[in-house]
Amino acid sequence: GAGVSQTPSNKVTEKGKYVELRCDPISGHTALYWYRQSLGQGPEFLIYFQGTGAADDSGLPNDRFFAVRPEGSVSTLKIQRTERGDSAVYLCASSLGQQTGELFFGEGSRLTVL
Amino acid sequence: GEDVEQSLFLSVREGDSSVINCTYTDSSSTYLYWYKQEPGAGLQLLTYIFSNMDMKQDQRLTVLLNKKDKHLSLRIADTQTGDSAIYFCAEIRSSNTGKLIFGQGTTLQVKP
């Protein structure tokens, strides 16, 4: 595809449920990032993958959050036992290399936890 | 508090210049960035500046960097209604990972 694709674009779930958010990066981009953006705030770093491995997961807020990228392309962000405070737009971005800072963002997945 | 600070809102008239300001805290940041977010769209890189530069010009955009004061600004000349968006300043916190730390964003409103 031409850009970073994220699915679903909108997800409404109930408190306590499990959620998966998917990111399909630009082909050939080895670096992949997940960010979370709350209303009126800037994107907040969650996790960074270089290839298949999570090179920096320092932004994950707690152990309910987990992300994988098993084949070095598509990534899935998994949230267990969702809480109302998890409601936000989850952004995925990819880049050619980890040092450029030029990230290509998807349009995000809006998660609402009721 | 926020590591990267921006004013929240700026309103200008079409044709005027817009200046969006940002302060950052990490003096070791090698690059500083401006991203733009339009309604319903993902963030898009507008421009960036290397930390050993004072100024960078790219068509209608001028970036000024004051390293002593850790102050970054984005000037948009001849602002158009299509420039209405949220503008985010970002610093690269780790050159090993390319991890960006964003400010909270400045909403630019351009009135016709």
Side-chain angles (χ1 to χ4, degrees):
Chain A
V4 176
S5 175
Q6 291 189 247
T7 55
S9 54
N10 274 288
K11 176 71 178 178
V12 180
T13 191
E14 293 179 344
K15 181 175 178 293
K17 299 290 188 184
Y18 170 79
V19 166
E20 288 191 353
L21 306 174
R22 175 188 166 109
C23 173
D24 201 338
I26 293 172
S27 178
H29 281 193
T30 58
L32 185 144
Y33 304 79
W34 283 99
Y35 281 80
R36 176 168 71 174
Q37 187 175 20
S38 300
L39 192 63
Q41 300 296 316
E44 173 192 15
F45 172 81
L46 295 178
I47 188 169
Y48 155 70
F49 287 90
Q50 180 57 35
T52 60
D56 184 346
D57 64 358
S58 61
L60 294 178
N62 50 61
D63 61 6
R64 294 187 298 105
F65 287 75
F66 189 71
V68 295
R69 194 186 185 199
E71 297 177 359
S73 178
V74 171
S75 176
T76 304
L77 178 65
K78 308 181 181 195
I79 311 173
Q80 297 177 322
R81 304 183 304 280
T82 51
E83 300 178 356
R84 292 195 180 88
D86 299 334
S87 296
V89 177
Y90 289 82
L91 300 171
C92 178
S94 67
S95 74
L96 278 171
Q98 69 270 29
Q99 297 180 3
T100 65
E102 182 176 6
L103 306 187
F104 294 83
F105 281 84
E107 293 185 9
S109 292
R110 180 177 297 278
L111 174 66
T112 303
V113 182
L114 301 177
Chain B
E2 294 286 341
D3 290 337
V4 180
E5 298 270 359
Q6 298 179 239
S7 53
L8 295 181
F9 186 79
L10 175 66
S11 180
V12 301
R13 292 229 172 260
E14 192 173 21
D16 288 349
S17 292
S18 307
V19 180
I20 301 171
N21 295 301
C22 168
T23 56
Y24 61 98
T25 57
D26 189 348
S27 57
S28 66
S29 292
T30 52
Y31 288 92
L32 294 142
Y33 301 83
W34 285 102
Y35 277 78
K36 177 182 180 182
Q37 186 176 39
E38 295 180 273
L43 278 82
Q44 178 186 8
L45 178 66
L46 264 185
T47 188
Y48 65 92
I49 188 167
F50 189 50
S51 59
N52 69 353
M53 299 169 65
D54 297 325
M55 184 182 85
K56 179 179 179 182
Q57 187 146 6
D58 183 1
Q59 299 182 342
R60 292 191 297 121
L61 305 178
T62 303
V63 179
L64 295 177
L65 176 60
N66 181 329
K67 283 196 72 174
K68 175 176 170 289
D69 294 337
K70 298 191 186 73
H71 183 265
L72 183 73
S73 68
L74 174 69
R75 178 177 181 269
I76 306 173
D78 187 25
T79 314
Q80 303 297 306
T81 54
D83 295 324
S84 294
I86 303 176
Y87 291 80
F88 293 94
C89 166
E91 61 177 345
I92 192 163
R93 184 55 58 84
S94 167
S95 59
N96 290 331
T97 67
K99 179 167 83 176
L100 295 183
I101 303 299
F102 288 86
Q104 67 268 53
T106 300
T107 298
L108 175 63
Q109 179 188 65
V110 182
K111 296 180 180 177

